[in-house]
Structures are given as C-alpha cells and as structure tokens.
C-alpha cells in the first residue's frame, strides 16, 4: 500500500492534475508532487519515495511533448525541479559554470551575458521556461547548434540515484577521464537518475555578428546549400522553414515587438543610430519579404572581429548563390538573436488551436530523400488533413557539421490544456480562438507523427526527446540495448526511475 503521508509531498488534486499532461501527451494524474529546493531535500525525498515503492518522475520546465514526464501509473511522484534553480558557481578561472538542474537557459544567459560569457550550447528556443537539466536529460539544441547538442557540451552531472544516493559522473572541469559516464546520463529522459547539478564549460561571447536570410525555390537547392554551410562551419546557427511554417511564424509575431527587441539588441551591440535605423527597417520590410519564397535559410555568423564575421557571411552568400538561392531581408535571425528566449507562444497555433512538432536527424546525404518521403506521406493524407483542418510545415536546422534536423510541425483546431494556458502570455492568449476538444483530428496527428517516425526510421535517422514516443529499442544494436537494460537494472533495481521512458 502506497504511503504518501510525507508532509513535503503536495497532494493537492489541482496541482497533481496539472502535471498529468505535457504539451501533447496526456497520462495518469500523479499521486503527488515533490518540490525540492536543495540536493539534500531531493535525495531525502527520493530515498523516502523508493522505500514506499513510488515511481519517480522528474520534471524540468515541462516544455516537452513526447510523454517524458507523463506517468503511466497512478503511484508516481513527480519531482518538480523548478525550485532547484540556482546558479551555484561561475568559475572564470577554470571556465566552468555549475547550476542546479532546474535553472532555466534564460536565467543562465542573464547571468553570463553581462560578463561576456556563455556556454557552447546555450539553450533551446523554449529557454525562458525549459531547464538545463531537462534539456540535458532529453537532449536538444538550438543556440550554439554548430557546437552540437546540449548533452554533448556537459562536463559532469551530480545525480541522485533511485535509492537516494548522490553520485558525480565525472570531474567538474574535464569530461575525458576513462569511459564517458557523463555521456550515459545525457538524453536518459530521467530513466537512470535525477540530475541535481549540471556543470558546463564556459566560452567567451563573440564580439561581432553577421546575419543573413536566403530563399530557395526547390528542396534540392535548399538542402545542398544548407548542408554545405554546415560542412564549412560558417554559421553558429543555420535554420529555416518551408513556406507553410514561414507563414505561421509571420502570422504569430507582432511587428512592433520585433522592432523593439531589435533596437534593444543593436543598442547593446553598440550604436544608437544603427539601432534606430535597423528598427525602422524591420517595420518597413514588414513580414511580406518572404511571402514568395518556397524555403528559407537564416544564418547567424559570429567572430572576434567584424571583418571575420562579415567574411563568413560573404562565404555563406556565395554558397547560396552557387545553389540558385537569393538573399532576402535578414529580419528573422536578427529579431531572434535580439530576444533569444521569447515567450513560448508558439506552443499553440497562431490562431489558437494546437501545435505538435516531430523530428529526425539524418546525415546530409539523406536530407533531400527524407524531405521527399515526408512530402509523399503528407500528400497521401492530404484529403483527410484538409477535412480536419490539420496543417503541416517544416523547420530545418543543422547540428554540428554532421546532423541535418528536419522537424515537421502539425497545427490543428483543438482544445487547449492547463499547460498551454499557463505558459502562453495572457495578452497573446486573449487574441486567440478557442476550440472544443477535437479527438478525431488529434488521432490523425498521432498517426501522422507515427508515420513521420517510420519514415525517419527507414532512413536510419535519430532523435532527441525519446521520452515515451520514439522507439529506441527497435533502432538499437541488440547488444547495446542489453547493455542499457543492464545499466538500468544496476542503477534502479526496483524499476522506479521514470518507468517506461526510453522504453525501459
Ligand atoms: C515553444 C517551444 C520551443 C522549443 N524549442 C526547442 C528548441 O529550440 N530546441 C529543442 O531541442 N527543443 C525545443 N523545444 C522542446 C523542449 O522545450 C526542449 O526539448 C527542452 O529541452 C525541454 O526542457 P524542459 O526543462 O522543459 O524538460 P521537461 O519537459 O520538463 O522534461 C524533459 C525530459 O527530461 C526529464 N527530466 C527533466 N528534468 C530532469 C532532471 N533534473 N533529471 C532527470 N531527468 C529530467 C523528464 O522526465 C522528461 O523525460 C521547444 C518546446 C517548446 C514548447
């Protein structure tokens, strides 16, 4: 019989109900919520929960949509890491920073940026809410994507194991020391332990930036250019959209807000008049400049000197020209860099309704083939998608020199849940339509998501955010899978750590 009498556990039904779903998946309402504010409280809470046989489900910012923190049994204790959000040490001598795992990317940026510092991978676009521990646990990328993924850039973790014991996965200043135990915990979605502290390397912020936006008519030219820019390592971030997603972005964001954040950034990067001029340019260019474009790439180059940043952008433009692309107004990358962690309003559709991304990372040699297979999938379902008003568009991003990330996003009219209404800005929410529950459309979106995953699997692509959604076992070498199961059994013999996640 489960005992939940620990006074530190919140059993309030509405608090628990809120944690029964993520951005897309709905699971079982957990039995309780623990909100530790220190590693000692986290360790004591896990030890007590393990004695009671409770499942332990860690939650960071709650910004995921693959069922990673959505329990499938009712005796689960959600560990809400939001209260462990301190920056513990910024060490400018050793160039490391240690944070509690619930610290958001945005809070870390606010602390490091004034000191001219950042981490190599410095956050996801959800970073105003998403936590560093959540990002490391399901892996991901965006800001600093040329440097790879979040899990790649961690130096070490201090974790709490299923029996409450505390363990360091390595040394805090250097990751390479024998077999890579830190790497084992990256992307584990909380199946192996709860991350309490995360240590990341620091690097100096760049001093000069250059921005470029480019348009292409065909996916073949688009992929060729995007891949070559990544292979040459010319952009710190290189991302893009297809026309559908481009249109959704344009509809969502307000032009005035664009101009304002841009002025703030330009002021920070020096020059009041340049700031005013750039702000005015955004307003004049409006959001029509990409209307005719079929596919867009947005690049941000950074360097120590203006000449070096401009030279990288000149080389990017040459790659674009060699692949039949054309330069367009570079508003999007400028605006995004000016406000790197915007409110998470894109968690819902631009007119209300729902949003669900699904993604795969493929090698450059298979990017075009993947896009063509996805287009065929959507064409085969076109009539049903149209009947149920389901829209689909693509986001693209290169990761390091080797990864081409393709992310179809679905939009459809459907009810919003508590997480959506709490996370989206209230002024934005007030402007949106509200829809009744739409289980028929949601079911088709689930089938389409499965179809996308099958396409990516057939092309041997990989995924972040495995959660309870992407099939890891079927895609792993059987020996590697047995090793992972053995590791899980060693670390969590009772199978209490986020059971079911990763398929474990
Ligand atoms: C608007 C929006 C924009 C987004 N942009 C991006 C983007 O640019 N790039 C990207 O990669 N993703 C993006 N995402 C997806 C998601 O926000 C990120 O993947 C993010 O890293 C999730 O972090 P989180 O703290 O919210 O994790 P959560 O959703 O809380 O948890 C994710 C997983 O990690 C586990 N977990 C959480 N904390 C811990 C811990 N301390 N120890 C062990 N396990 C833990 C959970 O159990 C769960 O399995 C976006 C999502 C939204 C809604």
């Amino acid at each position: 019989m489960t005992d939940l009498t620990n006074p530190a556990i919140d059993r309030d039904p509405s608090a628990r109900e809120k944690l029964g779903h993520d951005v897309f998946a709905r699971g079982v309402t957990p039995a309780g919520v623990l909100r530790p504010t220190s590693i000692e409280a986290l360790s004591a809470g896990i030890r007590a929960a393990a004695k009671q046989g409770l499942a332990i489900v860690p939650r960071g910012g709650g910004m995921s949509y693959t069922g990673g923190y959505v329990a499938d049994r009712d005796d689960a204790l959600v560990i809400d890491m939001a209260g462990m959000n301190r920056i513990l040490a910024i060490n400018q001598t050793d160039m490391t920073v240690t944070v509690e795992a619930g610290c958001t990317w945005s809070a870390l940026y606010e602390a490091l940026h004034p000191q001219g510092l950042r981490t190599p991978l410095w956050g996801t676009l959800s970073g105003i809410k998403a936590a560093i521990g959540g990002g490391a646990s399901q892996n991901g990328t965006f800001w600093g994507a040329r440097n790879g993924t979040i899990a790649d850039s961690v130096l070490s973790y201090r974790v709490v194991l299923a029996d409450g014991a505390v363990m360091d996965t390595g040394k805090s200043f250097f990751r390479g020391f024998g077999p890579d135990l830190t790497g084992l915990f990256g992307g584990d979605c909380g199946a192996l332990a709860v991350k309490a502290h995360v240590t990341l390397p620091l690097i100096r912020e760049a001093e000069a930036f250059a921005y470029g936006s480019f348009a292409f008519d065909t996916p073949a030219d688009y992929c060729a250019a995007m891949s070559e820019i990544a292979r040459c390592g010319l952009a710190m971030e290189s991302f893009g959209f297809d026309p559908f997603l481009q249109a959704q972005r344009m509809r969502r964001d307000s032009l005035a807000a664009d101009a304002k954040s841009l002025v703030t950034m330009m002021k920070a990067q020096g020059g009041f008049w340049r700031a005013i001029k750039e702000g005015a340019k955004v307003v004049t260019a409006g959001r029509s400049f990409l209307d005719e474009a079929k596919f867009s790439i947005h690049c941000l180059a950074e360097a120590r000197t203006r000449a070096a940043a401009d030279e990288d952008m000149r080389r990017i433009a040459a790659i674009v020209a060699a692949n039949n692309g054309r330069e367009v107004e570079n508003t999007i990358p400028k605006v995004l860099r000016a406000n790197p962690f915007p409110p998470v309003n894109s968690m819902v559709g631009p007119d209300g309704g729902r949003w669900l991304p699904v993604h795969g990372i493929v090698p450059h040699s298979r990017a075009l083939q993947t896009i063509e297979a996805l287009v065929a999938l959507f064409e085969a379902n076109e009539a049903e998608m149209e009947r149920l008003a389901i829209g689909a568009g693509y986001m693209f991003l290169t990761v390091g020199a080797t990864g081409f990330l393709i992310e179809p996003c679905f939009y459809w009219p459907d009810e919003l849940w508590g997480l959506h209404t709490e996370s989206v800005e209230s002024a934005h929410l007030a402007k949106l339509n509200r829809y009744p529950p739409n289980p028929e459309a949601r079911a088709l979106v689930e089938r389409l998501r499965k179809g996308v995953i099958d396409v990516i699997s057939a092309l041997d692509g990989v995924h972040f955010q495995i959660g309870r959604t992407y099939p890891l076992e079927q895609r792993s070498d059987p020996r590697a899978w047995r090793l992972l199961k053995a590791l899980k059994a060693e670390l969590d013999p009772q199978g209490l750590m986020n059971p079911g996640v990763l398929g474990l």
Side-chain angles (χ1 to χ4, degrees), residues 92-141:
Q92 295 207 40
T93 305
D94 294 336
M95 291 299 270
T96 62
V97 57
T98 301
V99 298
E100 288 182 327
C103 176
T104 63
W105 291 107
S106 157
L108 183 61
Y109 175 76
E110 294 300 329
L112 295 179
H113 185 63
Q115 304 187 52
L117 295 168
R118 68 170 170 83
T119 53
L121 201 298
W122 54 284
T124 53
L125 288 171
S126 49
I128 195 164
K129 302 245 177 217
I132 295 164
S137 298
Q138 63 168 24
N139 213 356
T141 189

Side-chain angles (χ1 to χ4, degrees), residues 140-212:
T141 189
F142 192 84
W143 290 115
R146 186 174 72 194
N147 297 326
T149 71
I150 300 168
D152 289 343
S153 75
V154 172
L155 287 171
S156 68
Y157 301 108
R158 180 161 289 175
V159 297
V160 178
L161 301 174
D163 60 359
V166 173
M167 183 182 92
D168 285 332
T169 62
K171 302 293 175 200
S172 64
F173 72 100
F174 205 81
R175 181 151 151 185
F177 186 33
D180 184 6
L181 296 186
T182 296
L184 282 178
F185 291 82
D188 76 335
C189 290
L192 301 181
V194 178
K195 293 169 186 69
H197 299 171
V198 185
T199 301
L200 299 148
L202 290 173
I203 56 174
R204 295 262 155 85
E205 271 274 25
E207 289 162 46
F209 300 85
Y211 306 87

Side-chain angles (χ1 to χ4, degrees), residues 249-303:
R249 230 199 108 71
M250 297 298 179
R251 282 169 65 198
R252 178 180 297 113
D253 301 338
S254 107
L255 202 57
D258 285 358
K260 204 166 136 229
S261 52
L262 193 57
V263 167
T264 313
M265 175 188 79
M266 291 291 168
K267 271 188 192 157
Q269 288 184 8
F272 179 75
W273 289 113
R274 187 164 155 244
I276 298 298
K277 219 172 90 194
E278 288 292 346
K281 234 163 83 185
V282 173
V283 177
T284 330
R287 292 180 162 272
S288 60
F289 55 87
L290 272 164
D291 282 355
E292 301 304 316
K294 290 215 158 79
F295 290 86
S296 61
I297 302 183
H298 308 283
C299 293
L300 294 90
E302 53 179 65

